[in-house]
Amino acid sequence: MTTQAHMGADPTVQRVITARINGRDVTRAVDTRTTLADWLRDELDLVSVHLGCEHGVCGACTVLLDGQSVRACLLLAVQADGHDVETVESLSGDPNDLHPIQQAFHEEHGLQCGFCTPAMVLRTKEILEERRERTDEEVRQEISGILCRCTGYQNIVNAVQCAARKLYAGSPAPIASGTGTGGSTDPHPGA
Amino acid sequence: MKPPRFAYYDPASVAEAVELKSRFGTDALVLAGGQSLMQDLNTRRTRPDALLDINRITSLQELQVGPTHLELGALVRQHRLETDPAVRRAVPLLTGVTHHIGHVENRHRGTVGGSMAQADPWAELPTAAVTLDAEMVIEGPAGRRVEAARDFFTGRGTTSIAPDELLVAVRFPLTPADAGWGFVEVARREGDRAMAAAAAQLRLDDAGRVASIAIGLTSITDHPVRAAETEAQLLGQVPTADAVAAAARAVEQQVDRADDVHATLGYRRHLAITVTQRAVLAAVQRAQEGDRP
Ligand code: FES
Ligand code: FES
């Protein structure tokens, strides 16, 4: 609020918001017309949030909002105030110590150019938190909101199934303590 | 592809939102789930002076099963219609249609009220509302009014909501225990707009004749409509495959959308008949099997 009062900003044009981003509380002044996708990329440097179409068609900008996959180009940053946002940066940035889902995409060649990959990885995390078992056909349907122009999807489907095996191998399954089903509001979905 | 400038308001109550709508009139747009409006803002198809974000109004997020109706607050997310067992028990057709709305990423955010107020000709929830004789609960400066779904949708993207009013809830009559429902949609790909879709709900009497029937059609004209002629032909009849096929032909005359990139008029007519026939047959089968959770 001090920033806002100090700058004398009109609250219909600029707000100070606090959002939990990849497990950390972040407080910033944002223009009310800035989309969540632009804010994450341009202000917070979370460049895994890719912008393909910028109007809700391609799914490349998918992030998890309170544990649920959403299109970040169809949200305003100000709407994230008080909410939890997760991008793929929360998994692993270390090529020698990948998260099991990232490792699965690597092993199964689940990417070519990589443009859709952050979205695919997050969606994979979300659906595998719901449950492990799916037919290939069901996996295709679950990822149908994200366009991939390279792979033809087959290797992405293989990667999702491979990730399911990795995540649920042995017990306790590390991911099972996550957000659970789609209706959850657990503020800490980090892996 | 960035939203234009607007004054952003996030009212905390319905009263505050109605006050803002009275102040701005047609210069303000209401932001609910944003799955259509944010597209229009990003592409600058629309440039409102003010944006009224109603997502903070918690009373609009409520879902209540009453003795006669399921009442959905305008901000109930579409995903909840697919996943909440209370919805499936109360009005199973709603659960059935919701899967066809965009992709799950859209349904996580998209709302019941937003879909109604947006009133796209290809939208599923408005069709469900018209089919099931839902009621729209609308609040304005003079208080609350209730409008029948079939009077609410007035054309492509237009409704009877006045500039100083807000849609606050949608009430669906509880589905009778012996009713069967069907919903069939044809789109090019998963999540695409419907080229044609039909919703049906019916009950059979002890002799297997149609005791009541409602059929709604999507994407065949500029707003959702009932297939009144087909309903009339089937009422009191035993719904054999032949009888349903013959009655479904009556919807052909209701299709008046011009050729577009998705379908020609002729193809849409063909689809309208086909989806009507299949939706009614699915409803008949469910009514016969007693498919209720
Ligand atoms: S960039 Fe958001 S859906 Fe394409
Ligand atoms: S890997 Fe290139 S778009 Fe999917």
Side-chain angles (χ1 to χ4, degrees), chain B residues 175-192:
Chain B
T175 303
D178 59 348
W181 62 274
F183 183 76
V184 176
E185 173 169 315
V186 179
R188 289 280 174 206
R189 290 166 297 260
E190 179 83 31
D192 275 13

Side-chain angles (χ1 to χ4, degrees), chain B residues 85 88-90 92 181 290-293:
Chain B
R88 181 182 289 275
R89 274 193 302 272
W181 62 274
D291 171 51
R292 294 305 295 277

Side-chain angles (χ1 to χ4, degrees), chain A residues 50-61 71 73:
Chain A
H50 291 168
L51 284 166
C53 68
E54 295 186 84
H55 66 289
V57 176
C58 70
C61 64
R71 299 195 182 319
C73 70

Side-chain angles (χ1 to χ4, degrees), chain A residues 100 132 162-175:
Chain A
R132 172 187 171 160
C162 172
R165 289 190 297 274
K166 287 183 190 296
L167 286 169
Y168 285 90
S171 72
I175 203 162

